[in-house]
Amino acid sequence: MDDKIIAIFCLCDDLLKAMHHQEDCQCQMNDAEIMTTAFIAALFFRGNHESARALLKQYGYIPHMVSQSRFSRRLHRIKAIFMVFFNLLAQTWKTLNTEAIYMIDSFPIAVCDNIRIRRSKIYSTEDFRGYQASKKRYFYGLKIHLMVTQAGQPVECFLTPGGFGDVDALKYYAYALPDGSIIYADKAYNDYEIEDFLQEVEHIALLPMRKKNSQRALPPEVSFVQHYYRKMVETAGSLIEQLLPKSIHAVTSQGFELKVALFVIASSLNGYLNL
């Protein structure tokens, strides 16, 4: 843990310096330390910021630790920087992914049990009620939409309400990939119009698994490769789920979404630290 704490702080500090990030000279705790605390909480304490704050202060990593409420305010203030951090990691994974093979999928993140939906204060509309086909159960919360490399490292990520369709999410990916890239997906991502557009304009092949009545059936060898790479995106989802607590504590929707995003970035960061 000691090496990872130091490495995370150095990465955050170098990023802020490269961005020429300005801070108030009176701050006792800089933004690199705020980011480090958030990542340590996601990696080792299932998102519990208080436990991460206590550890880093007790063992002298960050002696001038701010209070819990001030830490929360500072964290929300720099949330845009976390996305810059994620995009830099994503660029690294794209560079290492020389075969240019990617997978997309979505994973549910429940904000509460179904029986507590009416009492939910974070979200309050039916748009957030979704269905998880793999477990044949409904959930209430968000969906994480991921694009990962063939090694399972995330390169794109965004959140939608739980009831948002996977095929509709195809319109929200950036597809910032090299020419000739191949994207594998499951049966929920069949959209011939988007497939043709990506092939003609972006020179990217989107190859979702076909349904039985599909007009564009794929040969058996392609179907075999699809099932093989399908496991990679499931592995990426499992790595993120390992970091998640049984329930994510948050007071506002912005706080809940920020914590979910931190788990995704922390999973990518952990893969980078283990290289």
Side-chain angles (χ1 to χ4, degrees):
M1 182 187 290
D2 184 72
D3 291 340
K4 286 191 175 182
I5 293 175
I6 296 173
I8 290 171
F9 173 77
C10 291
L11 287 172
C12 295
D13 191 53
D14 289 344
L15 171 63
L16 294 177
K17 288 180 180 178
M19 294 175 62
H20 303 289
H21 180 67
Q22 299 294 325
E23 298 183 42
D24 193 328
C25 61
Q26 296 181 348
C27 290
Q28 296 182 349
M29 184 176 176
N30 60 40
D31 286 339
E33 293 172 327
I34 295 288
M35 295 177 68
T36 301
T37 306
F39 284 136
I40 295 302
L43 282 173
F44 301 108
F45 297 102
R46 297 187 178 275
N48 190 318
H49 293 158
E50 187 60 26
S51 297
R53 288 179 57 255
L55 171 79
L56 296 174
K57 181 178 181 179
Q58 179 178 351
Y59 289 93
Y61 293 103
I62 304 178
H64 302 290
M65 181 65 70
V66 296
S67 65
Q68 184 177 6
S69 60
R70 181 168 294 180
F71 173 81
S72 181
R73 292 194 297 271
R74 294 276 302 276
L75 186 64
H76 281 268
R77 194 183 304 166
I78 60 171
K79 58 185 179 182
I81 299 177
F82 287 106
M83 294 313 300
V84 176
F85 193 93
F86 175 79
N87 290 331
L88 288 175
L89 290 174
Q91 191 59 46
T92 301
W93 301 129
K94 291 177 186 178
T95 303
L96 294 176
N97 187 29
T98 55
E99 295 185 14
I101 296 176
Y102 300 87
M103 287 72 64
I104 57 176
D105 204 354
S106 65
F107 305 93
I109 301 293
V111 69
C112 67
D113 293 328
N114 285 335
I115 198 172
R116 298 179 179 174
I117 290 176
R118 293 184 178 180
R119 288 182 285 169
S120 175
K121 296 182 180 180
I122 297 180
Y123 301 112
S124 58
T125 64
E126 281 296 315
D127 293 339
F128 294 91
R129 184 182 177 89
Y131 181 73
Q132 188 177 6
S134 60
K135 296 184 179 180
K136 297 181 179 180
R137 67 185 296 269
Y138 288 91
F139 70 96
Y140 190 74
L142 302 175
K143 273 186 180 179
I144 302 177
H145 297 270
L146 279 180
M147 178 184 291
V148 304
T149 65
Q150 59 179 337
Q153 301 297 348
V155 296
E156 285 190 35
C157 171
F158 60 91
L159 303 175
T160 63
F164 198 80
D166 287 345
V167 68
D168 297 325
L170 285 173
K171 302 175 183 177
Y172 293 90
Y173 285 98
Y175 300 106
L177 304 175
D179 287 353
S181 297
I182 301 175
I183 304 174
Y184 293 113
D186 61 24
K187 296 179 182 179
Y189 291 92
N190 279 275
D191 189 316
Y192 299 151
E193 184 178 349
I194 293 180
E195 289 179 32
D196 293 338
F197 176 82
L198 289 175
Q199 186 64 57
E200 294 174 8
V201 179
E202 303 291 342
H203 305 291
I204 295 172
L206 174 62
L207 297 175
M209 296 178 181
R210 299 305 187 191
K211 299 178 181 179
K212 292 182 180 180
N213 61 348
S214 175
Q215 299 176 0
R216 299 186 182 183
L218 297 173
E221 59 271 19
V222 176
S223 298
F224 175 81
V225 173
Q226 286 175 325
H227 282 87
Y228 173 78
Y229 284 113
R230 181 81 177 81
K231 298 178 182 178
M232 301 303 176
V233 67
E234 291 177 351
T235 300
S238 298
L239 292 175
I240 295 173
E241 289 178 354
Q242 289 176 7
L243 300 177
L244 294 172
K246 187 176 180 180
S247 61
I248 299 176
H249 174 72
V251 179
T252 64
S253 59
Q254 293 86 354
F256 184 81
E257 292 158 11
L258 178 58
K259 278 196 171 184
V260 172
L262 283 171
F263 283 119
V264 178
I265 301 171
S267 177
S268 180
L269 175 60
N270 194 40
Y272 181 82
L273 296 176
N274 290 332
L275 286 177

